[in-house]
């Protein structure tokens, strides 16, 4: 009798992966919904980027440039980098997946942190690797805990800096200490999706470390400050050997032509980006102060969102607040899957959205 299965079967490990669940978007029965669950910019995309997108729409019959030269050159120009060390992808998610599939084999380990981006675990397991989770300390990455977790099987370390959903960051000296403590064959992946928002002298996104080492890469995204989440654009800055390895399995046309054009225009529009940084800095401080005044515990954030925590009191927990806010059209991000069962993450929205959710929270807590 045949021992073969009677239906196609995924390889071992695939069905052990918990699928990524994005932030909710809808509030049934509510006339106006404020989506504050996905860290999207409230300012939208640069008008120059939108115009570039429209112009690209006139040649949709043509394949895009498989090397995304226009976009790579724009990024290189703005950040003073060699375009040969850049690769663009269908969001940074694709690039994180390429790194995992390129550098992990079954049995290899990759280190992630307790509250790190859920996509890391998914991509590690999809590549057949084993995710090793290290504890954070007070919502902050513990570099010593990462170094203590390194074994002979470790091949990758994923570090979100700033972190999501915490909004905290690892100072540059600690990142350098982490890199110096890793074996040379271990690749340190610095995911700097929110780097453009950070206004701290002790923060670096990772450009300097990549430039001076062979085992560090930095990923970035156009989905946040540039307002191009719908187009799925990411980029990676890496040593030449890493770029060469990734290019061998990258899809030949992994970025569409309108995205290439819009991304190039967006990164060059420095005035629009600066305005987004200013708006965000003002409102992160404002929202954090007022949430604290309501009696909620706020994790200090350098990104474009705020993580805050509720009391362990019946009727006043995060799930109760989430239901109350949703009923009024304010959709926030529940972060139970990130290890915060009694917390919510609020993406900075428009002035109207920010004021509205703060008023609704005051009403929920009986402090209006």
């Amino acid at each position: 009798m045949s021992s073969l299965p009677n239906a196609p079967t995924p390889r071992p490990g695939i069905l052990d992966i918990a699928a990524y669940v994005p932030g909710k978007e809808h509030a049934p029965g509510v006339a106006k919904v404020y989506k504050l669950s996905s860290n999207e910019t409230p300012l939208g995309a640069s008008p120059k980027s939108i115009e570039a997108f429209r112009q690209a729409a006139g040649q949709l019959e043509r394949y895009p440039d498989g090397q995304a030269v226009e976009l790579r050159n724009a990024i290189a120009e703005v950040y003073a980098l060699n375009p040969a060390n850049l690769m663009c992808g269908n969001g940074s998610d694709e690039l994180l997946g390429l790194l995992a599939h390129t550098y992990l084999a079954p049995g290899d380990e990759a280190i992630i942190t307790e509250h790190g981006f859920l996509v890391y675990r998914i991509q590690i397991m999809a590549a057949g690797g084993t995710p090793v989770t290290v504890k954070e300390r007070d919502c902050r990455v513990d570099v010593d805990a990462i170094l203590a977790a390194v074994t002979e099987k470790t091949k990758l370390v994923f570090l979100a800096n700033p972190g999501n959903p915490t909004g905290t960051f690892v100072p540059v000296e600690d990142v350098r200490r982490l890199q110096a403590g890793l074996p040379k064959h271990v690749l340190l992946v610095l995911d700097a999706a929110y780097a453009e928002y950070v206004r701290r002298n002790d923060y670096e996104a990772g450009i300097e470390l990549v430039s001076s080492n062979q085992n560090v890469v930095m990923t970035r995204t156009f989905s946040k400050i540039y307002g191009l989440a719908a187009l799925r654009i990411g980029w990676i800055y890496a040593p030449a050997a890493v770029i060469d390895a990734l290019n061998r399995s990258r899809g030949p046309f992994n970025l569409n032509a309108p995205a290439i054009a819009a991304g190039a225009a967006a990164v060059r529009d420095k005035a629009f980006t600066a305005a987004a940084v200013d708006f965000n800095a003002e409102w992160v401080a404002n929202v954090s102060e007022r949430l604290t005044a309501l009696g909620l515990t706020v994790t200090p954030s350098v990104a474009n969102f705020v993580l805050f925590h509720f009391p362990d009191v019946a009727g006043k927990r995060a799930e109760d607040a989430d239901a109350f806010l949703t009923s009024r059209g304010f959709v926030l991000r529940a972060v139970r899957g990130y290890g915060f069962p009694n917390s919510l993450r609020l993406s900075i929205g428009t002035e109207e959205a920010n004021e509205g959710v703060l008023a609704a929270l005051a009403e929920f807590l009986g402090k209006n």
Side-chain angles (χ1 to χ4, degrees):
M1 180 179 293
S2 173
S3 60
L4 295 176
N6 58 9
T9 305
R11 66 171 173 77
I14 293 297
L15 296 183
D16 295 327
I17 299 173
Y20 182 81
V21 179
K24 63 183 180 181
E25 300 184 34
H26 306 291
V30 179
K32 185 170 184 178
V33 176
Y34 298 89
K35 184 189 173 195
L36 303 169
S37 58
S38 297
N39 301 340
E40 297 157 339
T41 173
L43 302 186
S46 156
K48 295 179 180 179
S49 178
I50 295 171
E51 179 57 30
F53 178 90
R54 287 173 174 156
Q55 290 185 16
Q59 293 186 314
L60 296 185
E61 76 281 6
R62 298 187 180 278
Y63 280 102
D65 173 12
Q67 300 299 317
V69 171
E70 179 187 4
L71 180 54
R72 288 168 52 227
N73 284 344
I75 295 169
E77 171 191 315
V78 170
Y79 289 97
L81 303 175
N82 183 346
N85 293 103
L86 299 174
M87 176 190 292
C88 298
N90 187 35
S92 55
D93 291 350
E94 181 195 16
L95 301 172
L96 295 169
L98 276 173
L99 286 165
H101 284 270
T102 301
Y103 288 96
L104 293 176
D108 288 339
E109 295 176 350
I111 295 174
I112 57 180
T113 63
E114 181 181 8
H115 305 301
F117 188 29
L118 296 178
V119 166
Y120 305 152
R121 174 180 294 274
I122 291 172
Q123 295 294 3
I124 292 165
M125 295 179 69
T130 301
V132 175
T133 304
V134 302
K135 286 287 187 180
E136 296 187 12
R137 184 178 300 176
D138 192 25
C139 298
R140 288 171 170 80
V141 168
D142 186 338
V143 166
D144 293 313
I146 294 176
L147 291 172
V150 174
T151 71
E152 292 183 355
K153 296 181 179 180
T154 305
K155 296 297 188 299
L156 292 171
V157 173
F158 287 95
L159 176 63
N161 196 27
N164 173 28
T166 63
T168 60
F169 75 101
V170 183
V172 60
E173 291 304 323
D174 284 337
V175 178
R176 291 174 180 169
R177 183 164 63 85
L178 172 60
Q179 188 278 328
L182 292 174
K184 297 301 182 184
H185 72 277
V186 175
L187 187 63
L188 174 60
V189 181
L190 300 175
D191 180 358
Y194 300 92
E196 293 86 357
Y197 289 109
V198 185
R199 287 177 156 180
R200 291 291 299 260
N201 291 332
D202 54 345
Y203 173 81
E204 287 182 3
I207 289 175
E208 294 81 1
L209 265 179
V210 175
S211 298
S212 56
N213 294 280
Q214 294 301 305
N215 68 331
V216 186
V217 302
M218 176 193 69
T219 62
R220 302 284 279 269
T221 182
F222 279 76
S223 296
K224 306 306 177 186
I225 203 165
Y226 296 116
L228 297 177
L231 295 185
R232 313 305 303 127
I233 311 170
W235 60 281
I236 186 170
Y237 176 53
V242 174
I243 294 294
D244 175 66
L246 297 180
N247 264 323
R248 292 171 185 267
S249 59
R250 175 181 64 85
F253 302 106
N254 63 327
L255 206 59
N256 66 71
I260 292 171
V267 75
R268 287 188 169 116
D269 194 347
K270 297 180 182 180
F272 188 87
T273 304
V277 173
D278 290 342
F279 180 91
N280 184 73
E282 175 185 349
W283 275 103
V284 166
N286 184 315
V287 166
S288 298
E289 179 180 346
R290 291 164 68 181
L291 288 172
T292 301
L294 289 174
L296 300 170
T297 301
V298 176
T299 298
S301 175
V302 297
N304 69 331
F305 54 85
V306 177
L307 178 70
F308 57 104
H309 315 273
F310 289 81
D312 189 13
V313 176
K316 299 298 181 184
R317 297 188 178 96
E319 61 180 353
D320 304 308
D322 192 26
F324 182 90
L325 292 169
T326 301
S327 72
R328 282 154 177 76
F330 299 102
V331 179
L332 276 62
R333 183 70 147 105
V335 285
R336 179 179 295 274
Y338 283 95
F340 296 107
N342 199 25
S343 309
L344 294 175
R345 189 193 68 195
L346 167 65
S347 303
I348 297 301
T350 62
E351 179 178 356
E352 180 182 28
N354 298 334
E355 293 289 357
V357 76
L358 288 166
L361 278 168
E363 181 183 353
F364 168 73
L365 294 167
K367 297 187 178 183
N368 54 340

